[in-house]
Amino acid sequence: MESSEFKTIKNTDQPLPSRAADQISQLIIDRQLSAGDKLPNEFELAAYLHVGRGTVREAVKLLVARNVLEIRRGKGTFIAKHPGQIDDPLGFAYLKDQKKLGLDLLEVRIRLEPWVAGIAAAKADEKDLVILRENCSRVEEDIYGGVDHLENDRKYHISIAKCTHNLVVPKLIPIISYSVGLFGSLNGTSLLTETIIGHRAILTAIEAHDPDAASAAMKDHLEKNRSALLEI
Amino acid sequence: MESSEFKTIKNTDQPLPSRAADQISQLIIDRQLSAGDKLPNEFELAAYLHVGRGTVREAVKLLVARNVLEIRRGKGTFIAKHPGQIDDPLGFAYLKDQKKLGLDLLEVRIRLEPWVAGIAAAKADEKDLVILRENCSRVEEDIYGGVDHLENDRKYHISIAKCTHNLVVPKLIPIISYSVGLFGSLNGTSLLTETIIGHRAILTAIEAHDPDAASAAMKDHLEKNRSALLEI
């Protein structure tokens, strides 16, 4: 494949720690190491990669920065919980026009999330529903308690995505729900009430395994969010 | 906001270079530095962040690993072309079931890309179309030349996404077209012919500013890809 040739060419230009980091990544993939597994120690890696321990240490730092590895003090180096997945992976924070970003994100969300809610209603099992109810209640508790609910709001949307049992959707939703945080200041009382009502309506439809109702409830919820944004 | 409070708490636990990296990120955002802009030098950053130059150097390394900065030898440190955006940001390479991943990605693509092609047909300007035609031809040249076309195939789909003028869509498409690379081995002759015909049909519809035709052509193209995958 051209892309892997390209990688090889690029690699020879890269500093040694970057190359070692790529090789460690490949090792993780080849050995099917997953979240929480321990990485072989520095000595083994140095011997395996034919590099010095200093290079291994630099490579591990790079992979920590990329959220592939995590260091637990006194315990060793482990595969991260969601290896390779970082906050704001598309660099949204670096875009200049944050208002357009918010509206463009909502456009994508309105296309994607009603569909996701529909699949969630069709596929959610009892275990999924327990988590969904819990996350729905947490948002309500935050709002009633006068505490910022945005983190739990995002988690609620992610838990809906997880009901689909699709590998990709739960990874995409956290990225596009970046918009939730952008307009935190917007959360006046009316949008807070809508959040509670909207989230409950989505939950009820998913519990009833009614894809059309779930889809419609999600669409309605996101449209109301968009209206609120447009009113600024 | 709770999330920023959380960040502060987390920061005090973090090693000094990580904290400095976060502060440099914030500086880039606050000063609206963009791709190709030069970062202030080590001395300035050390003074500004009240840390040593060694810490600044470590922080810069972390930000290079996260693709926020790039070092040009002898010239200095610059903001990366797509700051914060990395290859495979969702860590797809680390998922064990790559076949399910490919099918789940196609499910998302079939939901998203026909819609994207429709908006592209509505919004593409002359400048967009020039790039689109060029990228469409490149895929054909690769295929006729017996060269791997996957990299250019991905670029073609991204250039369609750029026609939408939505800030988010062109950043999402490269991620979900990760599936293109997954099934490189699949590219038998019939799928290659379909790629040429399918891509041309999408281009023709976008050039004609016909959203429905563009949408239908994209859907057909992706469905044929899915059928090929399911046949394995």
Side-chain angles (χ1 to χ4, degrees):
Chain A
M1 252 183 22
E2 199 182 10
S3 62
S4 62
E5 278 168 31
F6 174 70
K7 211 173 171 185
T8 316
I9 293 165
K10 205 176 72 177
N11 279 356
T12 56
D13 271 348
Q14 282 178 346
L16 206 52
S18 298
R19 261 187 286 168
D22 286 349
Q23 288 172 311
I24 295 171
S25 287
Q26 198 53 51
L27 181 100
I28 294 167
I29 294 167
D30 293 344
R31 295 199 187 166
Q32 306 216 334
L33 300 179
S34 49
D37 287 350
K38 197 171 178 175
L39 195 74
N41 68 38
E42 265 177 25
F43 293 99
E44 284 178 66
L45 286 173
Y48 180 80
L49 305 175
H50 307 291
V51 294
R53 282 176 59 204
T55 303
V56 170
R57 224 168 297 141
E58 287 294 310
V60 166
K61 275 189 204 169
L62 288 174
L63 291 169
V64 169
R66 291 178 197 152
N67 198 32
V68 172
L69 298 175
E70 60 186 30
I71 295 168
R72 297 186 199 150
R73 237 164 273 188
K75 290 185 176 171
T77 305
F78 296 81
I79 315 303
K81 198 169 173 199
H82 298 287
Q85 188 166 357
I86 59 172
D87 287 345
D88 189 21
L90 300 185
F92 287 146
Y94 299 95
L95 293 177
K96 282 179 188 171
D97 192 342
Q98 293 280 307
K99 180 167 181 179
K100 176 163 165 52
L101 170 63
L103 292 170
D104 286 359
L105 276 165
L106 265 168
E107 209 181 325
V108 173
R109 292 186 67 185
I110 288 170
R111 175 68 191 170
L112 218 45
E113 289 197 56
W115 171 72
V116 168
I119 301 176
K123 297 203 173 168
D125 57 32
E126 253 326 300
K127 219 173 125 194
D128 296 323
L129 290 177
V130 170
I131 297 168
L132 209 57
R133 282 182 205 114
E134 214 173 272
N135 286 336
C136 187
S137 299
R138 279 200 188 131
V139 175
E140 292 174 357
E141 282 159 26
D142 283 348
I143 292 175
Y144 289 131
V147 179
D148 191 313
H149 69 286
L150 297 180
E151 203 52 42
N152 282 325
D153 192 312
R154 234 169 140 171
K155 279 187 190 152
Y156 179 62
H157 284 271
I158 295 167
S159 59
I160 294 169
K162 284 187 178 159
C163 298
T164 64
H165 298 259
N166 176 302
L167 290 175
V168 178
V169 169
K171 288 177 174 279
L172 279 184
I173 299 302
I175 300 180
I176 58 178
S177 63
Y178 179 86
S179 67
V180 172
L182 272 179
F183 296 88
S185 55
L186 256 186
N187 284 275
T189 322
S190 70
L191 202 59
L192 290 177
T193 310
E194 154 50 30
T195 297
I196 294 175
I197 297 171
H199 282 191
R200 273 284 149 195
I202 299 164
L203 175 62
T204 306
I206 295 176
E207 283 177 320
H209 298 292
D210 184 338
D212 291 343
S215 201
M218 178 65 87
K219 188 156 188 282
D220 188 59
H221 174 55
L222 293 172
E223 295 280 11
K224 277 178 181 146
N225 270 279
R226 177 154 64 180
S227 305
L229 300 190
L230 285 171
E231 271 169 26
I232 310 182
Chain B
M1 252 183 25
E2 199 182 9
S3 61
S4 61
E5 278 167 33
F6 174 69
K7 210 172 172 184
T8 316
I9 294 164
K10 206 175 72 178
N11 280 356
T12 56
D13 270 348
Q14 282 179 347
L16 206 52
S18 299
R19 260 187 286 167
D22 286 349
Q23 287 170 311
I24 295 171
S25 288
Q26 199 52 51
L27 181 99
I28 294 166
I29 294 166
D30 293 342
R31 297 201 185 165
Q32 306 217 331
L33 299 178
S34 50
D37 287 349
K38 197 169 177 176
L39 195 74
N41 67 39
E42 264 177 24
F43 292 98
E44 283 178 65
L45 287 173
Y48 179 80
L49 305 175
H50 307 289
V51 295
R53 284 174 58 203
T55 303
V56 171
R57 224 169 295 141
E58 287 295 309
V60 166
K61 275 189 202 168
L62 288 174
L63 292 169
V64 169
R66 290 178 198 152
N67 199 32
V68 173
L69 298 176
E70 59 186 30
I71 295 168
R72 296 186 200 153
R73 236 164 276 186
K75 290 186 177 169
T77 305
F78 296 81
I79 314 305
K81 198 170 171 199
H82 298 288
Q85 189 167 358
I86 59 171
D87 287 346
D88 189 22
L90 300 185
F92 286 146
Y94 299 96
L95 292 176
K96 281 179 187 168
D97 191 342
Q98 294 280 308
K99 181 169 178 176
K100 176 163 165 51
L101 171 63
L103 292 170
D104 286 358
L105 275 166
L106 266 168
E107 211 181 324
V108 173
R109 293 186 67 186
I110 288 170
R111 175 67 190 169
L112 217 47
E113 290 197 56
W115 171 73
V116 167
I119 301 178
K123 296 204 174 169
D125 58 32
E126 255 324 301
K127 220 174 124 194
D128 295 325
L129 290 176
V130 170
I131 297 168
L132 209 57
R133 284 182 203 114
E134 215 173 272
N135 286 336
C136 187
S137 298
R138 279 201 188 129
V139 175
E140 293 175 356
E141 281 159 24
D142 283 349
I143 293 175
Y144 289 131
V147 178
D148 191 313
H149 69 285
L150 296 181
E151 202 54 40
N152 282 325
D153 193 312
R154 233 169 139 171
K155 279 186 189 154
Y156 179 61
H157 284 272
I158 295 167
S159 58
I160 294 170
K162 284 188 178 159
C163 297
T164 64
H165 299 257
N166 177 301
L167 290 174
V168 178
V169 169
K171 288 178 174 278
L172 279 184
I173 299 302
I175 300 180
I176 57 180
S177 63
Y178 180 87
S179 67
V180 172
L182 272 179
F183 295 89
S185 56
L186 256 186
N187 285 272
T189 322
S190 69
L191 202 58
L192 290 177
T193 310
E194 154 49 29
T195 298
I196 293 175
I197 297 171
H199 282 193
R200 274 283 149 196
I202 298 164
L203 174 62
T204 306
I206 294 176
E207 283 177 319
H209 298 292
D210 183 338
D212 291 345
S215 200
M218 178 65 88
K219 187 155 190 280
D220 188 61
H221 174 56
L222 293 172
E223 295 280 12
K224 277 175 181 149
N225 270 280
R226 178 155 65 179
S227 305
L229 300 190
L230 284 170
E231 271 169 24
I232 309 182

